[in-house]
Amino acid sequence: MRNIVIPGVCAALSLATVPAWAQIAVSSNDHKVTQENGVTKNVVNPPTDSVTIFDLGVLPVKVVGTIADVPGSVVGPPLSVAITPDESLALVASSSKLDPADPTKLVPDDRVTVIDLKDRKIIGTVRTGPGAAGISITKDGKRAYVSNRMAGSISILAIDGKQVSLLKTIPLATAEALVSHLALTPDGKMGVATRNGDGKVVLVKLGGDTLTEAGTLDVAPRPYAAAVTPDGKTAIVASLGDPKGNGMLTVIDLTSDPPGKIVGTADIGHESLEGMMMSSDGKWVAGVVHAGSTRPKDAPQYKPNGMVVLYKLDGTTLTKLSEAPIGAWSQGAAFSKDGKTVVVGNMIQKNMQVFKNDDGKLTDTGQTIPTGGGAAAVRASTGP
């Protein structure tokens, strides 16, 4: 029997049936935007955006459910969803929405939807700032940080059980800087914020529900995603790169004095490094690149598919081990807790693609998870 999705309700498998050792991941699916021959355009009369919930603790990956009416957006880094460590809540940010006055255009959105993962329902909406995008949740599950891309600010949310509220919004840069994501150290005392608009990374000290700038670094153009190792010593920043060049990974030493010394870079070998995720043990880094798949078909750089590229991280050294073809206009990635399963979200194919990581060798399992709309962002409860 086909599952029927009712707005705000999931008619698929009950999350309550998932074992306690489940490794929940959530994909935020953008139904309103597509791309044709390299041109991004809005869908006419699209269905509402949705999320897909799945368990990375088993292979094949198990789909747990789908919830409709959850605003999301492909605009911004594919980190606009985050899960509390106890897997009770998911937060999904929407950086853009259809312009009510002209549905052919997008306008900034400021909504963060709160989802009860156990009951599979929407339980609240928090408004942060224009262009609400990259989200990170502290390891104790008590605070969330939302990057407001169109405002140059960070919003701090308080999480108390199932209650999520806005504490304050703090300016970090100009709106033109496009503050996109704030990655957190495990102790929650420091953050690494990407400024996509001007190619900078800002190190901030966190505490007392404040942000204090601790230093600014110049990195490769258009930084988006960032992640910090479990020991809090090293940050990896992914930059889309110059539009005519390749994406870049930057390795930052957070133990230096002052904190934030660039100690290495890696050319990922393809253009447009859209998404990046680190495994929970800090051993693996997966980069998701468009690799020409978003170019017009008559462009010299055009390729029919993107690539997922896997690196091993040893201290501050990144070593590329393997890569594999994915869909087009692909976005984020997520690891299982043991790092042996990797999923990648494809916008054009409207699915999640499942890979095995055999000690650095990526193998396509052949499993795809339909997402209904474009898989715009993904996060696992076990990830940074």
Side-chain angles (χ1 to χ4, degrees):
M1 177 181 292
R2 181 174 62 90
N3 289 330
I4 300 174
V5 178
I6 304 170
V9 178
C10 171
L13 299 173
S14 169
L15 193 61
T17 65
V18 177
W21 55 87
Q23 298 169 27
I24 297 302
V26 172
S27 171
S28 172
N29 312 316
D30 188 337
H31 294 249
K32 61 190 176 294
V33 178
T34 188
Q35 201 175 80
E36 296 179 5
N37 197 30
V39 178
T40 302
K41 58 197 307 184
N42 293 348
V43 177
V44 178
N45 297 320
T48 61
D49 297 330
S50 66
V51 298
T52 303
I53 307 165
F54 47 98
D55 178 11
L56 289 175
V58 293
L59 195 64
V61 172
K62 181 180 179 181
V63 176
V64 175
T66 302
I67 304 175
D69 289 343
V70 183
S73 178
V74 71
V75 178
L79 296 163
S80 56
V81 57
I83 301 173
T84 55
D86 63 2
E87 299 186 337
S88 62
L89 300 178
L91 305 181
V92 181
S94 176
S95 65
S96 62
K97 61 183 178 180
L98 296 178
D99 185 347
D102 183 356
T104 65
K105 298 179 180 179
L106 295 175
V107 293
D109 200 358
D110 62 359
R111 292 173 290 176
V112 175
T113 302
V114 184
I115 297 172
D116 183 328
L117 287 174
K118 181 177 180 180
D119 294 334
R120 304 176 326 278
K121 65 180 182 180
I122 298 168
I123 58 173
T125 300
V126 181
R127 293 188 177 273
T128 59
I135 305 178
S136 291
I137 298 176
T138 55
K139 293 296 184 182
D140 63 9
K142 294 181 179 180
R143 292 289 184 269
Y145 295 83
V146 181
S147 299
N148 304 309
R149 292 185 75 244
M150 303 308 294
S153 62
I154 302 288
S155 290
I156 306 175
L157 308 185
I159 304 174
D160 183 6
K162 294 185 178 181
Q163 300 297 316
V164 181
S165 58
L166 175 65
L167 283 177
K168 62 176 64 174
T169 297
I170 301 174
L172 189 63
T174 63
E176 293 76 15
L178 298 177
V179 175
S180 296
H181 178 55
L182 177 69
L184 307 175
T185 56
D187 61 8
K189 295 181 179 180
M190 180 177 288
V192 179
T194 58
R195 289 172 28 175
N196 183 259
D198 60 6
K200 297 182 184 297
V201 166
V202 182
L203 302 180
V204 294
K205 293 182 179 179
L206 308 175
D209 295 326
T210 62
L211 300 173
T212 304
E213 187 171 332
T216 302
L217 304 174
D218 292 314
V219 294
R222 301 189 294 166
Y224 243 3
V228 179
T229 54
D231 60 11
K233 295 181 179 180
T234 307
I236 306 296
V237 173
S239 295
L240 282 89
D242 186 280
K244 296 182 179 180
N246 292 337
M248 297 289 294
L249 294 170
T250 300
V251 184
I252 300 173
D253 181 359
L254 298 179
T255 67
S256 61
D257 187 16
K261 179 182 179 181
I262 295 176
V263 292
T265 58
D267 184 327
I268 205 163
H270 305 275
E271 68 177 29
S272 297
L273 174 53
E274 178 75 21
M276 181 273 293
M277 182 50 61
M278 182 186 293
S279 60
S280 61
D281 61 5
K283 182 177 180 180
W284 308 105
V285 174
V288 179
V289 285
H290 294 168
S293 67
T294 56
R295 298 278 189 175
K297 293 182 179 180
D298 60 356
Q301 306 94 332
Y302 170 76
K303 294 179 182 178
N305 57 266
M307 300 291 288
V308 55
V309 184
L310 186 66
Y311 286 81
K312 182 177 182 179
L313 178 61
D314 185 5
T316 59
T317 301
L318 281 170
T319 304
K320 184 190 291 189
L321 296 183
S322 62
E323 59 183 41
I326 50 177
W329 198 18
S330 303
Q331 299 293 314
F335 285 91
S336 60
K337 186 176 182 179
D338 61 10
K340 294 182 179 180
T341 301
V342 186
V343 292
V344 176
N346 297 315
M347 274 294 294
I348 297 302
Q349 286 73 20
K350 300 179 181 179
N351 66 23
M352 303 295 300
Q353 202 168 340
V354 183
F355 294 86
K356 288 178 63 179
N357 169 20
D358 295 312
D359 199 28
K361 180 182 178 181
L362 283 172
T363 303
D364 191 339
T365 67
Q367 181 188 10
T368 57
I369 302 169
T371 53
V378 65
R379 209 70 166 275
S381 60
T382 56

